[in-house]
Amino acid sequence: MMNKQLQSMSPQLSNADLAPEIDQQWSWYSIFAFWMSDVHSVGGYVFAASLFALGLAGWQVFVCLLAGIMIVYLFANLMGTPGQKAGVPFPVVCRLAFGVKGANIPAIIRGCIAVVWYGIQTYLASSSFIILALYFFPSLKTLQSESFVGLSYLGWMGFLFMWIAQALVFMFGMPMIRKVIDYSGPAIYIAMFALCGFMLYQTGWSAIHFNLSSKSLVGWNNVKEMIIAIALVAGYFAGPTLNFSDFARYCKNKKQMKVGNLLGLPLNFIVFSIFSVLIVSASIPMFGQMITDPIKTVQMLDSATITVLGALTFILATIGINIVANFVSPAFDFSNIAPQKISFKWGGFIAAIASLLMTPWNLFNNPDMIHYTVDLLAALIGPLYGIVLVDYYRIRKQKIHLSSLYNDTKNGQYWYNNGWNTRAIIALIIAGCASILSSFVFTELANFSLFISGAVAGVSYHWLMAKSTVSIEVVEAQTNL
């Protein structure tokens, strides 16, 4: 049935990478490993430890981590379901709501966010390479005295090493990416266990405590900061959760996807957070100060073996998270713009080249610039959640007309107005404005802009689509998935 429907796919909307995945072979472990790769990163380590700076007690932090990650788990299941059901990536899922051409809008938004973070993550990971380089070749320190375009020669060496290493993995396509995902996450656990064990052996359990904040909260302030912490956890994973269909499309069935999400999010995230907090807590008696940067922690340890293994681990961790969160997404997103000219691999290379040209080290070293760049792009993530979820679950009742996703004629269910659903675009603009206002004007609401804009987009879109009851009924009557 599926093959018959897809015989008439428009070449303007399809290629081998965007077409439905028929051979869905991923089990729960691949999804579990996907989340391990996404969670086990330098950023995830710093983020988990940083929640203590809000002034929360240890038990409060773990309650917030669990509550926040359960929200992520819920939305990962919701966003992954249409992709798994139809075997299609995120930009193709967006065709349901935005139209077969209008889907390029959410695709470009998500792709640009991934490019920015891909460059920043690669730059941060180059620090691990520099640690290794200086350890084995101390004379390279002279390369740090001169710079080009804001980055030292040694910095360039580290950045290009990471950049090329990730590109080599991507050259071999999804089979190689799956292998990296399957092995990088567990490798980080081994390294974290070794680092944690070494530091606890040096300091002893008596030196460990879970109240890492220098301030304490009482009354309503406790509740307020806990709510903020929960929102921060959910927001931290907003990017990879949005395009989770890019990976869920390979799952054997929905049950495998949900089991992988359950193990990879609540269970995995809490265990990783415990390791992170233990290591940060041990850094206080060991170094006389709290260190939340794991790369700096490894660098300060008086152990050659731990230093080398730690640096190699962080390199592997960054390759894993960057490919998962910031490479696969723009590969599909940019391929969706011109399927016959841009394949999945070329889409990824476009993202990699763009990440190099934007000189991420200059962006990262300018707090105001990175704040406005990232926050402005992120302001549009919430609206995309609202529109996609309301369209699939409320308006279409989880029905997908598969062949129409690749039909660029008036007979297609998702043709709308010359391929564009103006109602979705209007809802995106309305919610985007609400998100920008909450992020940059009413700054006390900034931590909740993801939820505010998502709700505004969902309500706006549902109201606008309610005026199109005839077309909605036709869609429901002719769907086949």
Side-chain angles (χ1 to χ4, degrees):
M1 180 71 173
M2 183 180 289
N3 290 333
K4 182 179 179 180
Q5 287 180 311
L6 298 178
Q7 288 176 354
S8 59
M9 286 194 302
S10 167
Q12 303 303 315
L13 298 174
S14 63
N15 58 28
D17 303 304
L18 296 176
E21 180 67 28
I22 299 175
D23 187 26
Q24 296 173 299
Q25 291 299 317
W26 283 27
S27 68
W28 63 267
Y29 179 78
S30 292
I31 297 300
F32 170 53
F34 160 82
W35 285 116
M36 278 200 291
S37 295
D38 194 57
V39 170
H40 301 178
S41 66
V42 175
Y45 176 104
V46 174
F47 173 77
S50 69
L51 292 183
F52 284 92
L54 296 174
L56 300 173
W59 71 268
Q60 292 172 320
V61 169
F62 286 110
V63 167
C64 294
L65 289 172
L66 182 59
I69 208 66
M70 287 305 296
I71 294 174
V72 178
Y73 168 70
L74 171 65
F75 279 93
N77 286 334
L78 292 174
M79 293 300 296
T81 295
Q84 190 284 319
K85 188 175 187 178
V88 298
F90 171 70
V92 177
V93 170
C94 289
R95 294 175 184 177
L96 276 76
F98 286 85
V100 292
K101 294 182 180 179
N104 282 323
I105 295 176
I108 291 173
I109 291 171
R110 178 65 184 101
C112 288
I113 294 172
V115 167
V116 172
W117 279 114
Y118 180 80
I120 292 174
Q121 288 275 15
T122 302
Y123 166 63
L124 292 176
S126 65
S127 300
S128 296
F129 174 83
I130 292 173
I131 290 175
L132 282 178
L134 291 176
Y135 178 80
F136 289 107
F137 307 101
S139 60
L140 291 176
K141 193 173 181 65
T142 58
L143 295 178
Q144 291 181 307
S145 59
E146 297 185 48
S147 64
F148 174 70
V149 198
L151 188 63
S152 71
Y153 290 162
L154 184 58
W156 270 103
M157 186 185 297
F159 184 87
L160 290 177
F161 172 83
M162 291 300 304
W163 192 89
I164 293 171
Q166 293 169 126
L168 287 174
V169 171
F170 198 76
M171 278 181 61
F172 294 95
M174 284 304 296
M176 177 59 72
I177 291 174
R178 181 185 178 183
K179 289 181 180 179
V180 171
I181 291 173
D182 286 350
Y183 292 107
S184 63
I188 307 306
Y189 260 137
I190 295 173
M192 290 284 285
F193 180 80
L195 179 59
C196 186
F198 177 80
M199 294 184 69
L200 290 178
Y201 176 78
Q202 295 292 320
T203 62
W205 271 104
S206 60
I208 304 300
H209 60 86
F210 291 102
N211 292 320
L212 303 180
S213 177
S214 58
K215 60 181 181 179
S216 59
L217 302 171
V218 294
W220 166 248
N221 287 330
N222 259 316
V223 178
K224 177 184 175 183
E225 294 300 331
M226 287 184 70
I227 294 173
I228 290 175
I230 292 170
L232 288 173
V233 173
Y236 180 79
F237 293 97
T241 306
L242 178 67
N243 64 286
F244 186 57
S245 283
D246 289 342
F247 299 90
R249 66 181 301 212
Y250 299 105
C251 284
K252 295 178 181 179
N253 52 56
K254 187 177 178 179
K255 181 180 179 181
Q256 295 286 325
M257 179 192 76
K258 294 181 73 173
V259 170
N261 283 340
L262 182 63
L263 296 175
L265 285 167
L267 178 63
N268 171 56
F269 184 63
I270 292 299
V271 172
F272 179 78
S273 297
I274 291 173
F275 274 122
S276 302
V277 171
L278 284 172
I279 294 171
V280 172
S281 181
S283 71
I284 299 174
M286 193 163 189
F287 306 119
Q289 59 179 311
M290 184 171 71
I291 301 175
T292 59
D293 184 346
I295 296 176
K296 186 177 180 181
T297 300
V298 167
Q299 200 170 11
M300 293 179 68
L301 289 173
D302 187 22
S303 170
T305 302
I306 293 291
T307 299
V308 172
L309 290 178
L312 287 172
T313 299
F314 291 133
I315 288 174
L316 180 61
T318 301
I319 291 176
I321 188 176
N322 239 3
I323 288 177
V324 165
N326 304 318
F327 216 126
V328 171
S329 173
F332 282 124
D333 295 334
F334 295 151
S335 178
N336 192 72
I337 297 172
Q340 294 304 304
K341 296 180 180 179
I342 305 175
S343 65
F344 173 75
K345 290 183 181 179
W346 273 111
F349 286 129
I350 289 172
I353 293 170
S355 73
L356 175 62
L357 295 177
M358 76 176 193
T359 63
W361 48 89
N362 291 323
L363 182 64
F364 184 78
N365 291 326
N366 187 332
D368 290 334
M369 181 61 72
I370 192 173
H371 167 68
Y372 286 111
T373 300
V374 174
D375 285 2
L376 188 60
L377 288 170
L380 298 177
I381 287 185
L384 295 181
Y385 272 103
I387 293 169
V388 171
L389 292 177
V390 167
D391 181 83
Y392 181 67
Y393 289 97
R394 293 290 298 172
I395 294 176
R396 308 198 184 279
K397 312 298 183 185
Q398 303 186 51
K399 306 286 187 178
I400 301 175
H401 193 268
L402 192 58
S403 62
S404 288
L405 291 172
Y406 303 90
N407 190 331
D408 60 356
T409 71
K410 293 181 179 180
N411 296 324
Q413 299 285 322
Y414 315 116
W415 178 246
Y416 295 107
N417 183 18
N418 294 317
W420 303 79
N421 184 4
T422 54
R423 297 171 185 83
I425 297 172
I426 292 171
L428 176 63
I429 294 172
I430 293 172
C433 290
S435 184
I436 291 172
L437 285 173
S438 60
S439 296
F440 298 99
V441 180
F442 304 104
T443 53
E444 65 275 8
L445 299 175
N447 293 316
F448 309 101
S449 63
L450 177 73
F451 300 97
I452 293 172
S453 59
V456 171
V459 172
S460 300
Y461 180 71
H462 192 277
W463 181 77
L464 290 167
M465 288 298 287
K467 298 179 178 295
S468 309
T469 53
V470 175
S471 62
I472 294 172
E473 288 173 0
V474 171
V475 170
E476 291 181 352
Q478 298 183 16
T479 50
N480 55 15
L481 275 182

